[in-house]
Amino acid sequence: MTLAHKTVPEPQAILRVWMPFKDVVGVTSIHSEEDYTQARAIIEVLLNEIGDNENHPLADVLDYLADQVAAYEDVHTPIQESEPKEVLRFLMDQHGLKQEDLADCAPQSRISDILSGRRGISKEIAKKLAKRFNVSAAVFL
């Protein structure tokens, strides 16, 4: 089996398209609060244009800028430590879920006990919740 490889562009060819891109977008990497604000504004414009169309020609630009914003936030936005039950409550709220919607992770009565503080989150349930919400199980332990 032979793998097809695209040719690697010369640096000057990359530069010829990169500089106009930077001029139009205004920010390509985030080093300051001003860059961050600009990138977030562009992301909003792109989201309005692209919607749910993952095949839109600008989807890669959106992904690129979103990755830049995420990297900046990872360094500059501290996340407060929260109790596992509060993390669960937050994620349920963000996803518009009720206790019974998590039946694939634990019975509704167990979720109720967790949210009220009567029970902790077991490792088994933490793993299921982590998979469900696509987060680390550590946030529930």
Side-chain angles (χ1 to χ4, degrees), residues 57-127:
L58 292 172
D60 288 340
V61 176
L62 175 62
D63 289 343
Y64 173 78
L65 287 174
D67 289 345
Q68 295 296 312
V69 165
Y72 182 83
E73 288 175 341
D74 285 349
V75 173
H76 295 90
T77 307
I79 298 174
Q80 290 181 330
E81 289 290 322
S82 298
E83 290 186 43
K85 68 179 182 177
E86 295 307 322
V87 172
L88 177 57
R89 190 180 318 278
F90 172 78
L91 290 169
M92 288 173 64
D93 183 54
Q94 291 296 303
H95 292 269
L97 299 174
K98 298 178 186 143
Q99 294 176 12
E100 55 268 16
D101 296 327
L102 297 177
D104 57 327
C105 300
Q108 185 273 326
S109 60
R110 177 74 47 88
I111 299 295
S112 178
D113 286 347
I114 290 168
L115 293 173
S116 69
R118 289 189 296 271
R119 293 187 95 152
I121 300 176
S122 69
K123 287 182 182 179
E124 179 183 330
I125 292 174
K127 289 178 186 177

Side-chain angles (χ1 to χ4, degrees), residues 7-24:
T7 59
V8 176
E10 293 294 322
Q12 289 303 315
I14 296 169
L15 186 60
R16 281 192 300 274
V17 295
W18 184 252
M19 295 311 292
F21 177 80
K22 285 180 72 168
D23 290 342
V24 170

Side-chain angles (χ1 to χ4, degrees), residues 18-77:
W18 184 252
M19 295 311 292
F21 177 80
K22 285 180 72 168
D23 290 342
V24 170
V25 175
V27 63
T28 54
S29 60
I30 302 172
H31 301 288
S32 68
E33 192 66 31
E34 184 179 333
D35 293 343
Y36 176 76
T37 302
Q38 176 72 15
R40 294 287 308 258
I42 294 166
I43 287 171
E44 285 300 315
V45 169
L46 291 173
L47 284 171
N48 289 334
E49 174 69 23
I50 295 169
D52 293 332
N53 182 0
E54 294 178 9
N55 296 318
H56 192 286
L58 292 172
D60 288 340
V61 176
L62 175 62
D63 289 343
Y64 173 78
L65 287 174
D67 289 345
Q68 295 296 312
V69 165
Y72 182 83
E73 288 175 341
D74 285 349
V75 173
H76 295 90
T77 307

Side-chain angles (χ1 to χ4, degrees), residues 120-135:
I121 300 176
S122 69
K123 287 182 182 179
E124 179 183 330
I125 292 174
K127 289 178 186 177
K128 290 178 182 178
L129 290 169
K131 184 175 180 182
R132 167 75 185 230
F133 291 110
N134 196 28
V135 297

